[in-house]
Amino acid sequence: MAWRFPDKYRDEGLLLLRIGIGVMFVVHGLPKLIGGPAKWEQVGRAMVYLGVDFLPTFWGFCAATTETVGGLFLLLGLFFRPACLLLAFTMTVAANMHFGRGDGLLGASHAIESCILFLSLFLIGPGSYRLRK
């Protein structure tokens, strides 16, 4: 019975999760985004591990934008589900890059965990506290 007490704070817990993860992805993605074309090309080379070897600057810009803007949308609850799908895809590419480099499961673990988190949040939804319904 005591374990049911937190049930009434489900939306607050989801808000805390969204804000925390959202802020961290903005912090993680912003340096890539403001890094300019040289940084975007470096990030975009991760697509090679999926067999995509063209337009690395474009793909890197997409990844940096997804991490930054997607993190912002996540914490605001705005365009929540599309943001979660884009973030999950970005983390899938990151995990594949780590495996392709030979980093193994430990090297790819952050990206895998994030992908699982974003897919779960996609299914759960943003909760009651959000900017857009």
Side-chain angles (χ1 to χ4, degrees), residues 22-78:
V23 166
M24 292 312 298
F25 266 80
V26 170
V27 168
H28 189 72
L30 191 58
K32 294 174 187 172
L33 188 60
I34 63 176
K39 185 66 172 177
W40 303 338
E41 182 178 357
Q42 177 188 359
V43 171
R45 294 223 177 269
M47 291 294 284
V48 168
Y49 297 99
L50 294 179
V52 178
D53 60 357
F54 57 90
L55 298 174
T57 304
F58 170 75
W59 297 119
F61 174 77
C62 289
T65 301
T66 296
E67 288 181 9
T68 306
V69 178
L72 181 63
F73 284 167
L74 192 73
L75 72 94
L76 296 175
L78 189 65

Side-chain angles (χ1 to χ4, degrees), residues 9-127:
Y9 297 107
R10 188 173 311 245
D11 286 320
E12 289 82 359
L14 188 53
L15 176 64
L16 177 63
L17 177 65
R18 280 188 12 238
I19 290 173
I21 298 299
V23 166
M24 292 312 298
F25 266 80
V26 170
V27 168
H28 189 72
L30 191 58
K32 294 174 187 172
L33 188 60
I34 63 176
K39 185 66 172 177
W40 303 338
E41 182 178 357
Q42 177 188 359
V43 171
R45 294 223 177 269
M47 291 294 284
V48 168
Y49 297 99
L50 294 179
V52 178
D53 60 357
F54 57 90
L55 298 174
T57 304
F58 170 75
W59 297 119
F61 174 77
C62 289
T65 301
T66 296
E67 288 181 9
T68 306
V69 178
L72 181 63
F73 284 167
L74 192 73
L75 72 94
L76 296 175
L78 189 65
F79 305 113
F80 184 78
R81 286 191 163 105
C84 285
L85 286 179
L86 289 170
L87 286 162
F89 177 75
T90 302
M91 293 300 101
T92 300
V93 173
N96 277 307
M97 177 199 66
H98 284 290
F99 283 126
R101 286 183 180 171
D103 296 338
L105 186 58
L106 288 179
S109 64
H110 172 71
I112 293 168
E113 292 159 358
S114 295
C115 183
I116 292 167
L117 173 67
F118 293 131
L119 291 175
S120 298
L121 285 172
F122 172 79
L123 295 172
I124 294 167

